[in-house]
Amino acid sequence: MDASQRVHETFLERVKAGDLPSLDPLEIDQDLLRQLWRAQLISRHMDRAGRWLQSQGQGFYTIGSSGHEGMAGVALALSVKDPAFLHYRDGAFQAARALQAGQDPIMDFALSFAASSDDPISGGRHKVLGSKDLSIPPQTSTIASHLPKSVGTAFALGLNKRRGLTEERLALCSFGDASLNHSTAQGALNTAGWTAWQGAPLPLMFVCEDNGIGISVKSPEGWVRAVLQSRPGLDYAEADGCDVVAAYRAARDMAERIRKTRRPGLLHLTCVRLYGHAGADVESTYRPEAEIAAAEARDPLLYTARRLLDAGHEEVDIIEQYESVEAECYRAAEQAMARPRLSSAAEVAASILPPKAKAPIPNAPDPEAREAAFGPADLRALKEPQAMNKLINLGLTDLMLSYDNIVLAGEDIGRKGGVYGITKGLQNRFGATRVTDTLLDEQSILGLAIGLGQQGYIPIPEIQFLAYLHNAEDQIRGEAATLPFFSNRQYANPMIVRIAGLGYQKGFGGHFHNDNSLAVLRDIPGIVIGCPSDGAEAVRMYREAVRLVREEGRVVVMVEPIALYPMRDLMEPGDGLWTRRYPEPGETAPLSSLRTLGEGTDLAILTYGNGVYLSEQARHDLSASGIAARVIDLRWLAPLDEAAILKAVGTCEKVLVVDECRRTGSQSEALCTLLAERSDRPFARVTAEDCFIATGPAYAATLPSREGIVAAAKDLMA
């Protein structure tokens, strides 16, 4: 017999026979108990209806919540306004919160299981838990990747309180016992404890739903409790998650403590998993029958039935309510089959970008406040040519004066001012809550930014080196960039990620500090990638990045070429030709705009970052050989504006693409494809080798060079 049918029939038989668990009395309001019961029934029967939809070829998701219905108690212990980042088995939580808000969630669940475009959260793109009205950002079948952003959200709520805003909310984050072992979960728990240890307010409730098994791999006996109890900085409590009343009381007590102390807590709920992992999972192939039977005997609905009987309900009423909700759920599932679904690429992709918003134009910084923030030395620097590192520092200062919700976060960016001094002095100017030194964990840094962005801040997290992004890239790919897609544009993760990167550091650090590949970012739908080539460009681009965050809710990644930070000279030592003056207020580099250096029509050189610097040197050399070139600085590497690129090439006879990234997976591939498909001009490319970068004298051996660009240009022109 199918497991779901067996559990269903067993429930009815045991209620009729009065064969229910014996439980210690616990006081609970009877209206609340009835609400918990209905939420549990909705979650259980929608799991069954989802499997029925699949059997009809009309359903597309069968990972259910059966066995985890105790989470309804956690939901009703909290406020609808508390942001909740949910484990994928938390249908009962969402059902209870919907009832708490006066909504009926049954049809919403049915539309989600049926992948209907009428699904109010994802628009038919995925079966997800989530609701804008219920403060539940959508989550897919994630393995712990939502934990870092829950820490970031709690940090934002604590920051609200410290800024004098009215804030009583806490953040909730639930996850399974198997997810606990994931490095992302461990990092997030560590970050929460590390933050709380230092006294920073962090109103956050973690809930570990421990059903003892992850797909087919058991959690060792006692392991989960031992791991959770050992977390410094996190208050620990546990309860039987099969008893919804016990779960409610434990969650209520912890929530009250968190709201009072603003310290994070960790609630350990023991649960069971019914029906196996998913619809196609044959649990008996890896789990003894006796173990399966023992789990089914702890069906949470049997526990609630006992609570109802003890409260004076009759068996017949319990069965009637059970069967009534069952009929409601199957009726909704049948209706959902007839509702519309997405059918075209355009419909699917329509939610990649969040909607645009009208953000109020801020007042210009008070002149006295600006003068005090900069100080005499930097006020002079504003009027004199500077290198990129100094101009970015000045630009960030102006932006933080203009927008009091900008928060910088990263390793060493506060007291030290960053590895390259880019944020030097900013913590003294704006305080540690706006320029925050984080622990050394890139996942937590980006998760912090995601949480801040969802709560109305403009987060600017820093990744110390491009190679370090790979430790945490899923926080952009799987979380920040996908949220508009899975929420049908109801949620966004606006943020500006600063990354020091690319090559040409003279003999320092090898590949780990000279990563010259952007491939990990280039294929993520919806994100913006910028790469400035000089200090003034960086300031203009950061101004545009802030606009993109405020008005378009975008995820912007700014890759700053480390080798250009201190660069002052172009052709000869001491010429100062690569220093720039601070751009006037209002000067920006709009998304998709390009910059052209030179007016030559023999050759167009398409490039960015360090390539602009090298190509400018090469342009002067080529001019001496009678080749008139122009250098086109792409500025923005994603999205590429193909029409603007072709227009910038203009009447040039030939095109040379100069790309400091590796030959395979680099921007050059897209640019050459564009030229092949939409232009009849001859073209060639100069790229880095498909190789890592060495430490020592050979640091630039695999990278494009001034001489190599000149040689390639002459070959092309010949």
Side-chain angles (χ1 to χ4, degrees):
M1 182 187 297
D2 174 73
S4 64
Q5 185 64 23
R6 182 175 65 245
V7 171
H8 165 68
E9 293 182 5
T10 298
F11 172 82
L12 294 173
E13 291 169 2
R14 290 186 62 179
V15 173
K16 291 174 183 177
D19 179 19
L20 299 173
S22 297
L23 300 173
D24 293 333
L26 292 174
E27 291 186 9
I28 188 167
D29 178 83
Q30 293 307 298
D31 288 339
L32 180 62
L33 180 59
R34 283 188 287 270
Q35 196 170 35
L36 290 168
W37 175 234
R38 179 167 176 80
Q40 291 183 297
L41 292 178
I42 290 171
S43 179
R44 173 63 58 87
H45 288 308
M46 282 314 309
D47 277 1
R48 298 179 60 231
R51 289 174 174 240
W52 175 78
L53 280 168
Q54 187 190 49
S55 72
Q56 305 300 305
Q58 300 293 325
F60 308 94
Y61 192 89
T62 56
I63 296 179
S65 303
S66 294
H68 288 239
E69 288 89 356
M71 286 297 293
V74 177
L76 294 192
L78 304 178
S79 164
V80 172
K81 295 181 180 180
D82 292 327
F85 302 91
L86 298 183
H87 182 35
Y88 55 79
R89 295 194 188 277
D90 281 351
F93 183 103
Q94 179 158 326
R97 181 165 277 195
L99 296 174
Q100 189 180 20
Q103 301 177 9
D104 186 341
I106 290 178
M107 182 53 74
D108 290 352
F109 279 133
L111 293 169
S112 185
F113 276 111
S116 169
S117 54
D118 289 339
D119 167 27
I121 185 60
S122 77
R125 291 169 181 84
H126 201 286
K127 190 278 176 188
V128 292
L129 296 171
S131 167
K132 184 73 171 177
D133 291 342
L134 302 179
S135 307
I136 305 175
Q139 288 298 136
T140 63
S141 302
T142 179
I143 305 299
S145 66
H146 60 308
L147 272 73
K149 68 181 178 184
S150 73
V151 179
T153 297
F155 184 84
L157 300 181
L159 189 56
N160 287 348
K161 193 87 168 179
R162 294 171 76 168
R163 294 175 66 202
L165 304 176
T166 301
E167 183 61 89
E168 300 301 329
R169 293 178 297 164
L170 62 80
L172 174 122
C173 180
S174 56
F175 57 95
D177 56 294
S179 295
L180 174 65
N181 298 309
H182 199 284
S183 62
T184 308
Q186 293 291 316
L189 293 171
N190 183 69
T191 301
W194 183 86
T195 304
W197 188 271
Q198 300 173 83
L202 198 75
L204 172 62
M205 182 192 294
F206 285 117
V207 179
C208 180
E209 300 170 47
D210 181 5
N211 62 29
I213 193 167
I215 305 183
S216 66
V217 179
K218 294 181 184 179
S219 293
E221 186 67 30
W223 170 254
V224 175
R225 178 180 288 107
V227 170
L228 296 179
Q229 283 182 321
S230 66
R231 285 289 175 187
L234 299 179
D235 296 331
Y236 175 84
E238 59 183 63
D240 185 353
C242 291
D243 181 358
V244 71
V245 176
Y248 165 77
R249 288 166 63 94
R252 180 199 62 191
D253 292 347
M254 179 168 281
E256 289 176 355
R257 186 165 62 250
I258 291 171
R259 292 190 205 280
K260 181 179 180 180
T261 65
R262 315 301 283 173
R263 282 175 51 86
L266 207 163
L267 178 59
H268 179 197
L269 293 182
T270 52
C271 307
V272 292
R273 188 189 74 185
L274 304 178
Y275 311 170
H277 176 67
D281 184 31
V282 182
E283 198 173 21
S284 60
T285 61
Y286 57 82
R287 203 174 187 188
E289 292 290 348
E291 195 174 287
I292 296 172
E296 293 178 358
R298 280 176 41 80
D299 181 353
L301 297 194
L302 295 171
Y303 282 65
T304 310
R306 166 56 68 191
R307 293 291 183 198
L308 290 165
L309 284 175
D310 291 346
H313 293 251
E314 300 289 337
E315 286 94 340
V316 64
D317 295 330
I318 294 171
I319 291 174
E320 181 181 344
Q321 293 159 10
Y322 179 90
E323 292 179 338
S324 174
V325 175
E326 177 187 27
E328 289 181 63
C329 291
Y330 276 85
R331 187 161 54 247
E334 191 169 6
Q335 293 170 356
M337 291 193 298
R339 299 285 279 273
R341 294 189 173 108
L342 301 173
S343 60
S344 69
E347 289 176 328
V348 172
S351 66
I352 289 291
L353 301 182
K356 295 183 178 181
K358 278 193 174 182
I361 299 174
N363 295 324
D366 178 76
E368 291 185 5
R370 188 170 186 263
E371 185 174 335
F374 278 107
D378 278 348
L379 286 174
R380 288 193 300 271
L382 289 168
K383 302 174 183 178
E384 300 169 355
Q386 303 290 339
M388 180 189 282
N389 51 7
K390 187 61 178 179
L391 288 175
I392 294 178
N393 177 277
L394 298 173
L396 290 173
T397 299
D398 253 343
L399 288 169
M400 295 186 74
L401 286 167
S402 298
Y403 305 97
D404 64 2
N405 59 337
I406 287 179
V407 176
L408 275 61
E411 303 167 15
D412 300 309
I413 69 165
R415 295 181 183 89
K416 180 179 173 64
V419 174
Y420 295 97
I422 306 301
T423 56
K424 186 176 180 180
L426 295 185
Q427 191 175 82
N428 289 335
R429 290 170 179 169
F430 299 103
T433 57
R434 295 191 64 196
V435 183
T436 300
D437 281 312
T438 68
L439 73 178
L440 275 65
D441 179 8
E442 286 75 21
Q443 290 184 121
S444 293
I445 293 169
L446 293 178
L448 171 65
I450 293 172
L452 285 165
Q454 286 188 24
Q455 296 302 315
Y457 289 88
I458 301 175
I460 306 183
E462 178 185 305
I463 301 298
Q464 210 167 71
F465 293 98
L466 179 58
Y468 298 177
L469 175 66
H470 306 296
N471 298 327
E473 180 260 347
D474 184 56
Q475 287 297 304
I476 297 177
R477 178 182 298 275
E479 289 292 341
T482 61
L483 191 57
F485 181 74
F486 285 122
S487 69
N488 201 17
R489 308 180 80 207
Q490 296 173 75
Y491 280 96
N493 277 136
M495 58 196 294
I496 303 168
V497 184
R498 290 186 54 240
I499 305 178
L502 301 173
Y504 298 102
Q505 289 194 82
K506 295 183 178 180
F508 169 71
H511 166 67
F512 298 103
H513 301 86
N514 289 267
D515 188 349
N516 65 324
S517 175
L518 299 175
V520 72
L521 294 167
R522 287 184 57 239
D523 71 340
I524 302 177
I527 74 167
V528 175
I529 305 172
C531 186
S533 57
D534 65 46
E537 281 294 285
V539 173
R540 297 184 188 104
M541 292 175 71
Y542 269 109
R543 291 171 178 171
E544 171 68 355
V546 169
R547 187 199 69 78
L548 289 167
V549 164
R550 296 182 73 242
E551 297 181 11
E552 301 186 21
R554 302 295 290 272
V555 176
V556 182
V557 180
M558 292 288 288
V559 182
E560 300 168 8
I562 297 171
L564 295 180
Y565 278 155
M567 192 65 68
R568 304 185 69 85
D569 305 324
L570 177 63
M571 303 304 296
E572 302 291 342
D575 66 20
L577 293 177
W578 212 249
T579 59
R580 299 289 186 267
R581 290 186 180 276
Y582 189 73
E584 292 295 323
E587 284 188 35
T588 66
L591 183 62
S592 297
S593 67
L594 310 174
R595 181 174 66 140
T596 301
L597 304 172
E599 300 177 351
T601 57
D602 295 334
L603 178 69
I605 303 176
L606 285 176
T607 189
Y608 63 93
N610 289 299
V612 175
Y613 178 80
L614 295 172
S615 296
E616 270 294 272
Q617 292 177 326
R619 182 167 71 89
H620 286 78
D621 296 343
L622 291 170
S623 177
S625 300
I627 298 174
R630 68 178 62 173
V631 175
I632 300 170
D633 182 356
L634 294 171
R635 288 177 169 165
W636 303 102
L637 306 182
L640 284 176
D641 189 327
E642 297 184 349
I645 291 171
L646 294 175
K647 182 178 180 181
V649 169
T651 58
C652 292
E653 297 176 16
K654 299 180 181 181
V655 181
L656 181 65
V657 175
V658 175
D659 192 338
E660 63 188 283
C661 287
R662 298 194 278 271
R663 190 170 184 83
T664 300
S666 64
Q667 289 66 228
S668 69
E669 293 180 334
L671 293 168
C672 289
T673 300
L674 167 64
L675 294 169
E677 292 178 346
R678 298 185 56 186
S679 172
D680 57 2
R681 296 173 182 81
F683 63 89
R685 62 174 171 155
V686 176
T687 70
E689 301 293 332
D690 284 339
C691 180
F692 298 115
I693 294 175
T695 299
Y699 72 94
T702 62
L703 299 172
S705 65
R706 170 181 178 176
E707 296 77 15
I709 295 169
V710 170
K714 289 181 176 179
D715 287 345
L716 177 61
M717 295 309 297

